[in-house]
Amino acid sequence: MKTVNSLSGGKTSSYIAMNYPADIEIFALCCIDSHNAGKYIDKKVLQMVNDKLQKYCSHYPEFVATSEDHKVLKVMFELEQQIGREIIWLRGIGWEEMIKLKKAIPNQAKRFCTTILKMNPIFEYLYKYHELPVKMRIGYRYDEAERAERLNNWFKFAYKCEWQDKSCRWLNRWKEIQWRIGEFPLIEDKITHYQIKQYWEGRGIDFPKDSNCLNCFWKAEEQLRKNFKTSPPVMFWAGIMEDMQGNTFKNKMNLWQIKKLPVQLDFFYGTGSGCQAGFCTD
């Protein structure tokens, strides 16, 4: 059974890559197909990312932007150099297509974004090229052990599409398989956030201050407000997506209302997300 390290570009999953080598190092990038959101991404980095994605994801649009801090792109290239092993880059459909498909903005009531943007491309790659199930290392630390209890190791997917004459439409035939066995080396070895923070000091990788999608509904309003200041192209794009769809990421406030809030200097930023799918970790 092959081992897989699920990487997010944050300090925790990168720590796993450095200290727990796997047969497959894998990274799924959440993509925005709007050029405006990628305003500050260096052209050379854009080309390097597209070269990576071309290997397994050439059937998806050319990469132009990400909903994550664009620092994550350089982090993944630098991490690959430090571990001395290839990191597989993957992507699925972009944010705009996902919102159009689901007719909704992801929020706590409709948590489809991680499945579509991260889990689907990783499953698709492993299903095509490797035998399932795999042992997948997830970046849950000892200080967040409760997240491991909710991990789902089964995946439901359409394996056949049949034409229905009477209604003149295609019908998907579904099946569910166990595609992974979750492993939590940081919980087993009692590794906490403090130890990981100490580990990365002086190692030369400039990690994003806030990990995962900058517009994520799991993040506190204070963090979203901070992200307007540090990554305006992504946050303005997210606000426009709310306007176009007519839904919001947060239940009580839209992003434009959050933008008007004062920046709280005493807020503990960079907490990442609270997603339980095992792909959005620090």
Side-chain angles (χ1 to χ4, degrees), residues 184-235:
F184 313 98
L186 303 183
I187 295 176
E188 294 173 5
D189 293 342
K190 298 183 179 181
I191 305 296
T192 65
H193 181 266
Y194 175 79
Q195 291 164 284
I196 290 173
K197 183 180 178 181
Q198 291 292 109
Y199 175 84
W200 285 112
E201 288 186 2
R203 291 186 179 268
I205 295 184
D206 184 18
F207 288 97
K209 298 296 183 183
D210 185 42
S211 59
N212 305 305
C213 292
L214 299 172
N215 53 300
C216 180
F217 58 83
W218 286 108
K219 298 181 189 295
E221 285 83 357
E222 294 88 347
Q223 181 67 63
L224 294 171
R225 174 61 185 91
K226 178 72 171 181
N227 292 346
F228 264 106
K229 184 176 181 180
T230 56
S231 303
V234 172
M235 296 306 293

Side-chain angles (χ1 to χ4, degrees), residues 54-105:
Q54 183 69 24
K55 188 170 183 178
Y56 295 106
C57 303
S58 59
H59 51 299
Y60 288 113
E62 178 183 2
F63 172 77
V64 295
T66 175
S67 51
E68 304 174 56
D69 190 316
H70 63 85
K71 282 186 177 181
V72 75
L73 306 175
K74 292 184 178 180
V75 166
M76 296 310 296
F77 287 118
E78 291 170 357
L79 180 64
E80 186 175 61
Q81 292 299 310
Q82 291 208 19
I83 66 176
R85 300 184 302 279
E86 179 188 14
I87 296 177
I88 305 286
W89 287 52
L90 303 171
R91 66 158 293 177
I93 63 174
W95 269 90
E96 292 88 347
E97 186 176 349
M98 177 182 68
I99 291 172
K100 181 179 178 181
L101 177 69
K102 304 297 286 188
K103 296 183 174 68
I105 293 285

Side-chain angles (χ1 to χ4, degrees), residues 11 20 22 50 76 108 158 162 168 178 199 203 207 211 229 246 259:
K11 291 181 180 180
Y20 304 89
N50 274 302
M76 296 310 296
Q108 286 195 340
E162 296 179 350
C168 297
Q178 184 179 16
Y199 175 84
R203 291 186 179 268
F207 288 97
S211 59
K229 184 176 181 180
K259 182 180 180 296

Side-chain angles (χ1 to χ4, degrees), residues 23-273:
D23 298 312
I24 305 165
E25 309 282 348
I26 207 162
F27 169 60
L29 183 62
C30 295
C31 293
I32 295 173
D33 295 326
S34 166
H35 288 259
N36 290 335
K39 183 177 180 180
Y40 298 133
I41 301 178
D42 182 81
K43 290 184 178 180
K44 183 178 179 180
V45 173
L46 276 175
Q47 185 58 57
M48 292 171 64
V49 173
N50 274 302
D51 289 344
K52 274 287 193 180
L53 292 173
Q54 183 69 24
K55 188 170 183 178
Y56 295 106
C57 303
S58 59
H59 51 299
Y60 288 113
E62 178 183 2
F63 172 77
V64 295
T66 175
S67 51
E68 304 174 56
D69 190 316
H70 63 85
K71 282 186 177 181
V72 75
L73 306 175
K74 292 184 178 180
V75 166
M76 296 310 296
F77 287 118
E78 291 170 357
L79 180 64
E80 186 175 61
Q81 292 299 310
Q82 291 208 19
I83 66 176
R85 300 184 302 279
E86 179 188 14
I87 296 177
I88 305 286
W89 287 52
L90 303 171
R91 66 158 293 177
I93 63 174
W95 269 90
E96 292 88 347
E97 186 176 349
M98 177 182 68
I99 291 172
K100 181 179 178 181
L101 177 69
K102 304 297 286 188
K103 296 183 174 68
I105 293 285
N107 54 40
Q108 286 195 340
K110 299 177 180 179
R111 309 174 188 180
F112 52 80
C113 47
T114 301
T115 298
I116 293 176
L117 299 178
K118 285 185 174 285
M119 190 180 299
N120 279 1
I122 291 177
F123 172 81
E124 181 181 289
Y125 165 78
L126 293 174
Y127 186 78
K128 282 183 177 179
Y129 299 104
H130 302 280
E131 184 177 348
L132 300 178
V134 297
K135 293 180 180 179
M136 184 173 289
R137 279 83 170 268
I138 307 296
Y140 293 160
R141 302 182 304 270
Y142 184 63
D143 50 319
E144 52 182 7
E146 72 283 352
R147 297 177 70 182
E149 299 174 1
R150 295 187 284 270
L151 189 76
N152 182 10
N153 291 318
W154 293 77
F155 194 88
K156 186 177 181 180
F157 67 103
Y159 71 98
K160 184 189 294 186
C161 201
E162 296 179 350
W163 181 258
Q164 189 178 54
D165 293 332
K166 293 182 179 180
S167 59
C168 297
R169 63 192 181 101
W170 291 98
L171 291 177
N172 287 331
R173 303 300 178 187
W174 300 86
K175 67 179 177 180
E176 189 173 33
I177 64 171
Q178 184 179 16
W179 70 297
R180 66 179 179 180
I181 297 173
E183 294 190 338
F184 313 98
L186 303 183
I187 295 176
E188 294 173 5
D189 293 342
K190 298 183 179 181
I191 305 296
T192 65
H193 181 266
Y194 175 79
Q195 291 164 284
I196 290 173
K197 183 180 178 181
Q198 291 292 109
Y199 175 84
W200 285 112
E201 288 186 2
R203 291 186 179 268
I205 295 184
D206 184 18
F207 288 97
K209 298 296 183 183
D210 185 42
S211 59
N212 305 305
C213 292
L214 299 172
N215 53 300
C216 180
F217 58 83
W218 286 108
K219 298 181 189 295
E221 285 83 357
E222 294 88 347
Q223 181 67 63
L224 294 171
R225 174 61 185 91
K226 178 72 171 181
N227 292 346
F228 264 106
K229 184 176 181 180
T230 56
S231 303
V234 172
M235 296 306 293
F236 274 86
W237 162 85
I240 292 170
M241 289 297 101
E242 286 189 336
D243 289 344
M244 292 177 64
Q245 182 56 42
N247 306 115
T248 60
F249 290 96
K250 303 295 286 185
N251 293 332
K252 296 181 180 179
M253 302 177 73
N254 63 39
L255 289 178
W256 301 128
Q257 292 171 317
I258 291 173
K259 182 180 180 296
K260 295 178 182 178
L261 297 174
V263 177
Q264 294 191 22
L265 300 178
D266 60 345
F267 179 72
F268 181 70
Y269 295 106
T271 53
S273 72

